[in-house]
Amino acid sequence: MNSIYLDNAATTAVSPAVLETMLPYFTEHYGNPSSVHATGRDARKAIEAARRQVAAAINANPQEIYFTAGGSESDNWAIKGTAFANRKKGNHIITTAIEHHAVLHTCQWLEKNGFTVTYLPVDSEGRVTPEQVEAAITDQTILITVMAANNEIGTLEPIAEIGKVARAHKILFHTDAVQAVGAIPLDVQAMNIDMLSMSGHKFHGPKGIGALYIRRGVRIDTLIHGGAQERGQRAGTENLPGIVGIGKAIELATADLEAKAAKTAALRDRLMDGILERIPDVRVNGSRTERLPNNVNVSVRYIEGESMLLRLDLAGIAASSGSACTSGSLDPSHVLLAIGLPHEVAHGSLRMTLGTDTTEADIDKVLEVLPGIVSDLRAMSVLNAETSTVSDDTFYCPRRNA
Ligand SMILES: *Cc1c(COP(=O)(O)O)cnc(C)c1O
């Protein structure tokens, strides 16, 4: 166990209040929501209450919320379901180069099955513009899917403006809001969102439960065939404790959102500015303004993200890196490459994502140990000012208030 957990973009702890709400649904209230008897009816009631909680958090109607097994399933369903339901209308999908693999790999699979996909490039901060989206629209376009917030570099995308473009062209708009729920305000009406993916374990709910918002009137194909659950659109006996858990978790995560986000953002800036002050040759990846309140992502010149991770882990600090070495691949993250980082720099990146329980003392501990770790690793590195092929400009990074 790490004493300081700064990997909340990977997953979060189930909050005690959420767990407490869930527990009776494993034991006393274990009914099958499809059963006619009282035990079944109790389960059904709990599911409908959770559906109202999820709907309220994004200004949707409860009938527009479908429970799934997580963010990946919601993304797959929204994209494949839309693609196959609209085959006669067209075969073109617009997305970005920095989506989560649950979106990118789904799009790549659709390309093997007769669809064409435009992967919009992003700027150096990871932003795509509504103008880029509009310019990519053809008479074959059936879906625009752009994430609300990036899971690696924390960049917020202009989804309200993209929603406006999609609506004006009568094209369906899906957003992967897995990182955004509980971090920034979301309103599917005001933002013209037709489909929205979320995942319980990213906002202190349980793993293996998610939801897909599908605007009333939008028809998409079924992904899981079987029984009549979820309005006949997503078969399988419901994950009752999970559903109760995601309902409670989203209610807690979205309550008093602005104040909590401001507090987290202040800690984020303390960490980011502290790193820039204490460690030379560091750059911040992503935007300083259009950014998730809990995301810090930096590239540290001349060293590997993985080695920083291991040293931080030894110091009791859980973080993450931008390279995908853990998945057996030596390729750096597609997101870091898409914002224009050379491989060498992308390999030196470190992501720290704060949680609701992160304290100033936690941040100060990181600021205390990280500079020593970096100078140790730099002393051992084969890369230095003489051997590096990367221009100094890559590491020009203005302070937030400069
Ligand atoms: C975590 C994540 C997912 C996948 O969600 P799971 O519930 O783990 O399947 C999808 N998109 C983004 C942006 C994520 O951060």
Side-chain angles (χ1 to χ4, degrees), residues 234-375:
R234 201 275 183 186
T237 300
E238 295 88 341
N239 173 358
L240 178 61
I243 289 172
V244 169
I246 196 176
K248 183 69 179 174
I250 202 166
E251 187 179 281
L252 293 173
T254 53
D256 209 9
L257 182 58
E258 266 167 51
K260 284 188 290 192
K263 188 175 153 257
T264 307
L267 290 174
R268 170 200 68 191
D269 292 339
R270 183 184 182 93
L271 180 55
M272 222 148 36
D273 288 327
I275 291 172
L276 292 173
E277 272 159 29
R278 286 168 179 77
I279 306 175
D281 286 321
V282 171
R283 55 162 280 142
V284 167
N285 296 317
S287 166
R288 291 281 340 223
T289 51
E290 302 302 309
R291 187 177 199 102
L292 280 174
N294 77 332
N295 175 289
V296 173
N297 189 309
V298 293
S299 288
V300 182
R301 200 173 187 182
Y302 309 133
I303 58 179
E304 296 278 331
E306 297 290 311
S307 41
M308 277 186 282
L309 273 193
L310 296 176
R311 289 285 306 267
L312 283 168
D313 189 34
L314 284 175
I317 299 161
S320 155
S321 79
S323 53
C325 299
T326 42
S327 60
S329 144
L330 286 174
D331 294 336
S333 124
H334 65 288
V335 176
L336 297 175
L337 296 181
I339 62 170
L341 292 191
H343 279 236
E344 183 186 312
V345 180
H347 273 303
S349 71
L350 184 66
R351 180 186 75 179
M352 290 178 276
T353 43
L354 286 55
T356 47
D357 53 355
T358 304
T359 64
E360 222 165 76
D362 293 340
I363 300 301
D364 292 346
K365 174 76 180 172
V366 176
L367 293 174
E368 190 190 310
V369 302
L370 190 57
I373 290 174
V374 169
S375 52

Side-chain angles (χ1 to χ4, degrees), residues 71 74-80 82-83 92-108 110 116-120 122 128 133 136-137 141-149 157-159 162-163 166 171-178 192-197 212:
S74 294
D75 286 342
N76 271 261
W77 186 18
I79 298 167
K80 291 176 193 172
T82 302
H92 179 235
I93 296 167
I94 299 170
T95 188
T96 79
I98 64 163
E99 298 296 311
H100 189 275
H101 284 136
V103 168
L104 286 181
H105 291 168
T106 300
C107 287
Q108 286 160 10
L110 284 172
T116 63
V117 181
T118 300
Y119 301 91
L120 294 171
V122 293
V128 66
V133 173
I137 293 172
T141 308
I142 50 175
L143 175 68
I144 295 166
T145 173
V146 176
M147 69 198 323
E157 300 299 336
I159 54 167
I162 293 170
I171 295 167
L172 293 175
F173 175 43
H174 165 253
T175 188
D176 174 341
V178 173
N192 287 313
I193 296 166
D194 296 305
M195 286 165 281
L196 178 149
S197 301
L212 180 64

Side-chain angles (χ1 to χ4, degrees), residues 9-10 69-73 75 100 102 147 149 151 176 178-179 199 201-202:
S72 299
E73 184 185 314
D75 286 342
H100 189 275
M147 69 198 323
N151 47 302
D176 174 341
V178 173
Q179 291 290 334
S199 175
H201 76 101
K202 299 292 176 79

